[in-house]
Amino acid sequence: MLLTTNAAEADVHPPERVWPSVTKESDWRGVVAVLGHKGRLVSNRAYGIGFPRVDLKVVCKGHRVKAIGSFASFVRYPDGQTMMMGDLALTEPEVRKVHDVLVARGINQTSLHEHLPAHTPALQWVHVHAMGRDPVALAKKLRAALDVTGTPQVSGTPVKVPLGLDGPAVDRALGAEGRAQGSVYKVTFARNETMADHDRVLPRMTGSTTALIFQPLSRKKALVNGDIAVTAREVPATVRALRRGKIDIVAFHNHMLTDQPRLFFFHLWAVGDPVRLAKHLRSAIRHTNVSPASPD
């Protein structure tokens, strides 16, 4: 028997992509009830919930690092399926327990890595992905994983505090508008391509962002961490620009298994004048196909 489809034909006739559905806040009440607090609906398509690790005192290179936490996004599609994806910030003893819970409940683990250089306690981030017809059931599986960690039941909305950081100057240096989130200042860029995972289109700002976090140490000094999303072709120029700015590359890896286009992520670390660092970061980001995301 002759096969009627081969790899070349598959490239010519790619699978039909499924676009996300429009949702409203009330559609996610069951997820909120299971996970313990409200999240944020972005563009009426992706519902994201954060889980701050305020139980941990993370110290890196002599600096207390704030804004450590886990995050999950839920996206509904017209065929009745919901995608759940995100990452979990875990201590090393928690990683093994969470792995076992995720495997037992059918949640895929798509990446495991560090975000920070040498730090205590040692943390790793586990990226997860799952599909299902019942978003509440997905939330219960995620809740089971969180329950074997020290993640506290607190709101994922950070309390705003005065920042000793010139946000407008950072914005001008980066060419984008950021926003204060608790005790840090975050500037985000989104990929300009139509991103997909498992042949399902991801809403803008879901799973494929460049996120830069400025934590003020003094009026003229900040630590910066976060990640830059790049395609393979963008890697060499981005690396050169980061190192010219003396910005450390902590990790370089994928976050997803079947993303289209294929993305890699640089996790970053630097301490210094925030405006100077922002200028160097802008020189790196200009090699990537992104645009500033709305801070709202």
Side-chain angles (χ1 to χ4, degrees), residues 6-296:
N6 57 35
E9 290 173 339
D11 289 339
V12 174
H13 303 288
E16 188 72 24
R17 288 182 173 180
V18 185
W19 289 75
S21 299
V22 172
T23 61
K24 53 187 182 297
E25 290 276 352
S26 59
D27 292 328
W28 303 106
R29 285 175 183 162
V31 168
V32 171
V34 170
L35 294 176
H37 60 262
K38 289 184 67 175
R40 180 167 170 256
L41 183 60
V42 179
S43 300
N44 294 318
R45 286 173 174 81
Y47 195 81
I49 302 181
F51 306 91
R53 292 302 306 259
V54 294
D55 57 310
L56 301 175
K57 182 179 179 180
V58 180
V59 177
C60 181
K61 294 183 176 291
H63 302 291
R64 172 78 182 272
V65 182
K66 302 174 183 179
I68 299 290
S70 304
F71 190 83
S73 290
F74 295 79
V75 182
R76 187 169 295 173
Y77 291 89
D79 61 358
Q81 292 284 339
T82 293
M83 177 189 293
M84 179 183 72
M85 63 191 308
D87 59 346
L88 308 179
L90 308 172
T91 65
E92 287 193 350
E94 292 171 347
V95 169
R96 292 182 293 275
K97 293 185 285 187
V98 168
H99 278 171
D100 289 341
V101 171
L102 296 175
V103 169
R105 284 160 175 79
I107 297 179
N108 293 325
Q109 299 153 77
T110 61
S111 187
L112 171 65
H113 53 259
E114 295 180 341
H115 284 190
L116 303 170
H119 59 283
T120 58
L123 299 180
Q124 296 192 35
W125 275 256
V126 175
H127 286 256
V128 298
H129 178 277
M131 297 290 302
R133 301 193 70 83
D134 183 359
V136 173
L138 293 175
K140 288 179 179 178
K141 293 177 181 182
L142 180 64
R143 180 76 263 168
L146 293 170
D147 284 346
V148 298
T149 75
T151 305
Q153 286 271 26
V154 297
S155 171
T157 303
V159 177
K160 291 184 178 181
V161 299
L163 286 183
L165 182 80
D166 189 345
V170 169
D171 291 349
R172 289 191 296 271
L174 271 172
E177 183 182 354
R179 65 170 177 161
Q181 290 190 350
S183 55
V184 301
Y185 192 77
K186 185 175 182 180
V187 186
T188 308
F189 298 79
R191 295 293 306 187
N192 292 324
E193 303 94 337
T194 297
M195 294 298 308
D197 189 28
H198 291 79
D199 293 316
R200 292 174 183 269
V201 173
L202 300 177
R204 183 172 164 88
M205 296 285 293
T206 303
S208 57
T209 58
T210 288
L212 306 172
I213 300 171
F214 293 76
Q215 178 184 316
L217 303 174
S218 67
R219 189 64 184 175
K220 292 293 185 179
K221 191 175 183 180
L223 69 82
V224 178
N225 64 359
D227 49 359
I228 295 179
V230 297
T231 60
R233 186 173 297 178
E234 297 166 348
V235 169
T238 305
V239 170
R240 289 193 295 268
L242 290 171
R243 292 308 301 142
R244 279 196 299 268
K246 306 300 182 186
I247 297 170
D248 292 342
I249 298 171
V250 178
F252 175 54
H253 51 248
N254 301 100
H255 284 178
M256 295 172 276
L257 299 180
T258 66
D259 48 332
Q260 301 165 315
R262 192 76 164 126
L263 291 182
F264 302 85
F265 292 81
F266 288 111
H267 285 271
L268 315 171
W269 173 269
V271 176
D273 178 82
V275 174
R276 182 189 68 82
L277 291 173
K279 289 178 179 177
H280 286 297
L281 287 166
R282 185 175 187 175
S283 72
I285 292 169
R286 70 181 179 84
H287 296 292
T288 69
N289 184 26
V290 298
S291 57
S294 170
D296 299 325

